């Protein structure tokens, strides 16, 4: 396992140009591996480098394909306000996985991490300044939060993502390196996977076999475990699955996210083999895990009625607030 170190730097926020993101997060967290480092852009409500004894819960919210981290931060701020007492003492953090278009438009410093297109969704390495996986970046945030000198009373970390961010959370829950260390520090981990386009499977089974037929890459990463990036290393499928089913994962699905041609839905044959819509893919994946584990599956599905592919409506719904803050109000 590679050792992750992190440190916080604050810089000014820049304005948007062209097809790049409108705003770039104003904070930087230094992600350091054994022989590489880079600056991760993120939003944080507090100075992460100072002691925060009042924080009991931290929510790390992951943006979708369009990298609008600030909008996602606002969505979860609204959910926290609606949660009332359950939302007290909660810190919100929104990392931003920038790409080369963003770096060019905003004239970012060369040490700011950026990925090619949407490859950050699958834990691929950054293209600059070093080959640091987006999952390495998550490890860095998690290591920072589990530093008891900084967060002595932190009890729960929630990783929540919608759409592309849901893909990040689901796969990190399978392969994340920092998970064991966070739990060893006495911090519970919850994962909220909202409306992703695909999931990683542990074997050759797919719920739509005709779509998998002739699909050469149906079981390659990010849909399966073959040819996974370096971060995933050589862990066996069975070991990864055994660990994954014991983790507290909520699949938060919009009942109306049922358009097979909806915006940004993955139309690759490997994704189609998981189902035709995001809603169906989520239900299929949960059934797949249920069929393989008659006991020990610590996962649940919460369906949000009347909502399609909308992060704000998902997270601020009764079930979304339950998933984020454990209110117990979604039945």
């Amino acid at each position: 396992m590679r050792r992750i170190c992190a440190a916080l730097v604050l810089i000014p926020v820049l304005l948007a140009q062209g097809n790049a993101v409108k705003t770039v997060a104003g904070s930087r967290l230094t992600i350091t591996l054994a022989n590489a480092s880079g600056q991760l852009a993120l939003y944080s409500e507090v100075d992460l480098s100072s002691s925060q004894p009042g924080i009991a819960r931290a929510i790390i919210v992951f943006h979708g394909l369009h990298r609008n981290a600030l909008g996602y931060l606002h969505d979860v701020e609204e959910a926290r306000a609606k949660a009332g007492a359950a939302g007290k003492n909660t810190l919100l953090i929104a990392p931003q996985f920038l790409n080369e278009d963003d770096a060019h438009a905003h004239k970012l410093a060369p040490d700011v991490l950026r990925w090619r297109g949407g490859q950050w969704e699958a834990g691929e390495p950054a293209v600059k300044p070093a080959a640091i996986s987006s999952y390495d970046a998550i490890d860095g945030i998690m290591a920072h939060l589990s530093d008891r000198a900084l967060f002595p009373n932190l009890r729960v970390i929630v990783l929540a993502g919608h759409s592309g961010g849901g893909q990040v959370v689901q796969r990190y829950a399978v392969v994340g390196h920092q998970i064991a260390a966070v739990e060893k520090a006495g911090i519970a981990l919850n994962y909220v996977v909202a409306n992703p386009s695909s999931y990683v499977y542990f074997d050759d089974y797919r719920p739509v076999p005709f779509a998998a037929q002739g699909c050469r890459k149906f079981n390659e990463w990010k849909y399966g475990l073959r040819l996974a990036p370096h971060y995933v290393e050589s862990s066996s499928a069975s070991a990864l699955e055994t660990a994954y089913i014991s983790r507290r994962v909520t699949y938060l699905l919009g009942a109306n996210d049922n358009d097979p041609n909806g915006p940004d839905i993955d139309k690759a044959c490997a994704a189609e083999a998981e189902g035709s819509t995001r809603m169906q893919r989520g239900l299929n994946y949960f059934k797949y895990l249920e069929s393989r584990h008659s006991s020990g599956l610590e996962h649940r599905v919460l369906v949000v009625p009347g909502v399609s592919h909308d992060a704000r409506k998902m997270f601020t719904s009764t079930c979304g607030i339950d998933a984020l803050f454990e209110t117990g109000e979604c039945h």
Side-chain angles (χ1 to χ4, degrees), residues 88-294:
K88 298 292 185 182
N89 304 316
T90 297
L91 166 65
L92 306 183
I93 297 172
Q96 192 173 31
F97 297 113
L98 300 167
N99 67 24
E100 292 180 292
D101 291 336
D102 306 324
H104 175 75
H106 293 279
K107 298 180 172 61
L108 297 181
D111 61 350
V112 175
L113 289 164
R114 77 287 304 264
W115 283 262
R116 180 171 290 108
Q119 290 186 352
W120 50 269
E121 293 178 344
E124 298 290 347
V127 293
K128 293 180 181 177
I132 295 173
S133 168
S134 51
Y135 299 164
D136 286 321
I138 300 172
D139 285 341
I141 301 172
M142 299 263 277
H144 199 82
L145 291 174
S146 57
D147 183 343
R148 286 310 195 183
L150 295 173
F151 295 91
N153 298 309
L154 185 64
R155 295 183 291 102
V156 181
I157 297 174
V158 181
L159 286 79
H162 179 264
S163 194
Q167 293 190 52
V168 170
V169 173
Q170 195 271 323
R171 291 174 175 87
Y172 185 83
V174 174
V175 302
H177 291 175
Q178 196 65 26
I179 292 172
V182 172
E183 293 174 339
K184 187 176 180 179
I187 301 170
L189 283 167
N190 296 340
Y191 307 86
V192 181
V193 178
N195 291 339
S197 265
S198 66
Y199 303 78
V200 61
Y201 277 69
F202 297 98
D203 63 4
D204 291 348
Y205 168 82
R206 293 298 182 274
V208 189
F210 72 85
Q213 292 174 0
C215 183
R216 185 170 57 87
K217 297 183 178 182
F218 87 95
N219 205 26
E220 293 180 6
W221 186 266
K222 59 185 177 178
Y223 310 98
L225 292 169
R226 291 189 61 249
L227 303 180
H230 176 65
Y231 179 95
V232 179
E233 295 179 334
S234 58
S235 300
S236 71
S238 60
L240 290 173
E241 184 175 5
T242 298
Y244 179 62
I245 66 164
S246 69
R247 291 171 182 152
R248 299 183 64 187
V249 179
T250 297
Y251 304 100
L252 190 67
L253 305 177
N256 291 359
D257 200 353
N258 54 10
D259 183 352
N261 298 303
D264 299 326
I265 190 170
D266 190 342
K267 298 292 288 183
C269 59
E272 297 282 2
E274 298 185 9
S276 61
T277 69
R278 291 186 180 93
M279 173 67 171
Q280 194 60 55
R281 291 171 191 178
L283 294 177
N284 285 344
Y285 190 70
F286 185 69
K287 291 176 183 176
Y288 163 74
L289 293 176
E290 278 191 315
S291 71
R292 294 165 65 84
H293 304 282
S294 58

